[in-house]
Amino acid sequence: MVDTQDTASRARTRQAIIDAAIAVLGKNLSAPLSEVATAADVGRTTLHRYYPERSDLIKAIKAESVLRLSRATERARLAEGTGAEALCRLCEEYFEVGDVLSLVFSESQFLSEDDWCQFGGAEDRFGAAVERGHRDGSVDPDLPASWLENVLWSQLYAAWSYATEHGVSRHHVLRLTIRTLAGAIAPRP
Amino acid sequence: MVDTQDTASRARTRQAIIDAAIAVLGKNLSAPLSEVATAADVGRTTLHRYYPERSDLIKAIKAESVLRLSRATERARLAEGTGAEALCRLCEEYFEVGDVLSLVFSESQFLSEDDWCQFGGAEDRFGAAVERGHRDGSVDPDLPASWLENVLWSQLYAAWSYATEHGVSRHHVLRLTIRTLAGAIAPRP
DNA sequence: CCAGAGTGGAACACGATTGTTCCAATACGG
DNA sequence: CCGTATTGGAACAATCGTGTTCCACTCTGG
């Protein structure tokens, strides 16, 4: 991207802004830019120097979010193992992207249809894993892929906020999440 | 409340404003008041006549939300049947409050700790139902009440947005939700 | 040491939202 | 039918977030 022309110093500042923006705007997408600047520990002037308009900043954190989610999807190796195992791995990996979860899930306005498509067929691979799960008996055939996608996201978001609000160990919360998800998708006995 | 002094006409207008506010602010808590007025089919002037400041309107929909949730909790009869049955009933009843779900869940700033407490021990009865479920074997003992509360809310919110966005029958979505929840809370085989 | 990169603060104009006032039009009850 | 209750619109000031400009300060590398 444009980062190519950034010196080391500018790259660090840019990253600090992006991280702060994901954290602050994840909690409230209409938070004033001054809050983002404060969180990033930079002046409002500097923020405007890197991202002239609010929409530029939004575009940037959108790109960053998609990037992190893509990498997480990659790491989950959705094509391996049973369908249920693949979904649990995906859950584990997505849990690691942290603040991005709030951004993508709670602000439903954030990622448009187009953004999701551009986020490169993760949806397809997800659907394929669910299909496989339906066939190999590890995923309840009554639950369609679109529903499970919904469940997974809400579960993740709930887990993340539970961890941050209750101040519980993330590792512990992740175990609870996997346990809950596994039970939710398993076929009826 | 103040409604005591309202004529029939004023009561109707007041209710229209509250309903519109829950719908509009549920999607975006920082939406301009003009949007609320439009949705309520009322002039902005009228809105200000009923609720002079934004904070007054917020307070009102907060009270209304707590009221609807309390009634729903009542209807769920948490003390009857197995723990799991009680939780599923609660899920069904909460699903009916609709737009309030977005308001309470997605805007985490909305209900403060104090508001929750004032919402009268629903938390306690919920905890009791979970406890009972742990003992009668209908709820996995590894899942604490606070976690299940989290799961229930996120599941409900996901279900509600799924229904409104995908344009699916609410009844169908509710069945999926109950099915998913039941699986999630059941003890491991 | 010095030039330039990088930064932060102050000040400004602009637009949007808020909250207020006043007045005319309409609906409703007695 | 008349008078009051209720409403909507227009116009206004005040506030807040945004985006811009300008200037002074602090680093850092040559």
Side-chain angles (χ1 to χ4, degrees):
Chain A
M1 293 283 193
V2 188
D3 301 23
T4 315
Q5 306 178 351
D6 279 5
T7 71
S9 162
R10 286 184 68 84
R12 274 191 302 272
T13 305
R14 189 179 294 274
Q15 195 56 48
I17 292 176
I18 291 291
D19 290 342
I22 290 179
V24 171
L25 301 181
K27 290 198 186 76
N28 173 17
L29 193 50
S30 18
L33 292 185
S34 53
E35 253 179 66
V36 176
T38 304
D41 203 33
V42 293
R44 198 168 65 91
T45 309
T46 302
L47 197 160
H48 278 295
R49 231 189 303 267
Y50 283 78
Y51 301 101
E53 298 196 3
R54 174 180 257 270
S55 62
D56 295 323
L57 179 59
I58 301 287
K59 216 180 305 174
I61 63 176
K62 206 178 279 192
E64 178 75 10
S65 301
V66 167
L67 179 65
R68 293 189 192 176
L69 285 174
S70 296
R71 286 208 272 246
T73 309
E74 218 54 59
R75 285 194 300 267
R77 308 185 317 277
L78 286 179
E80 302 180 14
T82 69
E85 284 165 0
L87 296 191
C88 287
R89 276 200 307 274
L90 187 64
C91 189
E92 287 170 358
E93 295 301 330
Y94 275 11
F95 190 75
E96 295 301 319
V97 303
D99 286 327
V100 171
L101 291 175
S102 323
L103 201 48
V104 175
F105 180 73
S106 78
E107 319 287 349
S108 51
Q109 322 119 19
F110 187 65
L111 281 190
S112 69
E113 297 293 332
D114 294 342
D115 298 327
W116 276 108
C117 297
Q118 184 234 351
F119 164 41
E123 203 123 349
D124 297 342
R125 276 177 287 171
F126 182 85
V130 172
E131 273 289 326
R132 199 170 72 247
H134 286 166
R135 282 195 305 271
D136 66 24
S138 62
V139 175
D140 191 321
D142 287 347
L143 306 175
S146 66
W147 171 256
L148 288 178
E149 200 171 342
N150 220 293
V151 169
L152 186 124
W153 277 101
S154 70
Q155 206 63 250
L156 276 170
Y157 175 73
W160 183 250
S161 36
Y162 187 81
T164 57
E165 283 168 22
H166 289 65
V168 192
S169 142
R170 290 186 193 175
H171 195 266
H172 178 231
V173 171
L174 181 54
R175 275 213 333 250
L176 279 176
T177 309
I178 298 290
R179 163 71 192 81
T180 305
L181 182 71
I185 69 179
R188 278 189 178 285
Chain B
M1 292 287 190
V2 187
D3 301 24
T4 315
Q5 305 178 351
D6 279 6
T7 71
S9 161
R10 287 183 68 83
R12 275 191 301 273
T13 305
R14 192 179 292 275
Q15 195 55 49
I17 292 176
I18 291 290
D19 290 342
I22 289 179
V24 171
L25 300 181
K27 290 198 185 77
N28 172 19
L29 193 49
S30 20
L33 292 185
S34 53
E35 252 179 67
V36 176
T38 304
D41 204 30
V42 157
R44 198 168 65 88
T45 308
T46 302
L47 196 159
H48 278 294
R49 229 187 307 267
Y50 284 77
Y51 302 100
E53 299 196 1
R54 174 180 259 268
S55 63
D56 295 322
L57 180 59
I58 301 287
K59 216 180 304 175
I61 62 175
K62 207 178 280 193
E64 177 74 10
S65 301
V66 167
L67 178 65
R68 293 190 193 175
L69 285 174
S70 296
R71 285 208 272 247
T73 310
E74 221 54 59
R75 284 194 300 267
R77 310 184 315 278
L78 287 180
E80 303 181 14
T82 69
E85 284 165 2
L87 296 192
C88 287
R89 276 200 306 275
L90 187 64
C91 189
E92 286 170 358
E93 295 301 332
Y94 275 10
F95 190 76
E96 295 301 319
V97 301
D99 285 328
V100 171
L101 291 174
S102 323
L103 201 48
V104 175
F105 182 76
S106 78
E107 320 286 348
S108 52
Q109 322 119 19
F110 188 64
L111 282 190
S112 68
E113 297 294 330
D114 293 343
D115 298 326
W116 276 107
C117 296
Q118 185 234 351
F119 163 42
E123 203 123 352
D124 297 343
R125 277 177 288 171
F126 181 85
V130 173
E131 274 288 325
R132 198 169 75 248
H134 285 166
R135 283 194 305 269
D136 67 24
S138 64
V139 176
D140 190 321
D142 287 346
L143 305 176
S146 65
W147 171 255
L148 288 178
E149 200 172 340
N150 221 293
V151 169
L152 187 126
W153 277 100
S154 68
Q155 206 62 251
L156 276 169
Y157 175 72
W160 183 252
S161 35
Y162 187 83
T164 56
E165 285 168 20
H166 289 64
V168 191
S169 142
R170 290 185 193 176
H171 195 267
H172 178 232
V173 172
L174 180 55
R175 277 215 331 251
L176 278 178
T177 309
I178 298 289
R179 162 73 193 82
T180 304
L181 183 72
I185 70 180
R188 279 187 177 286

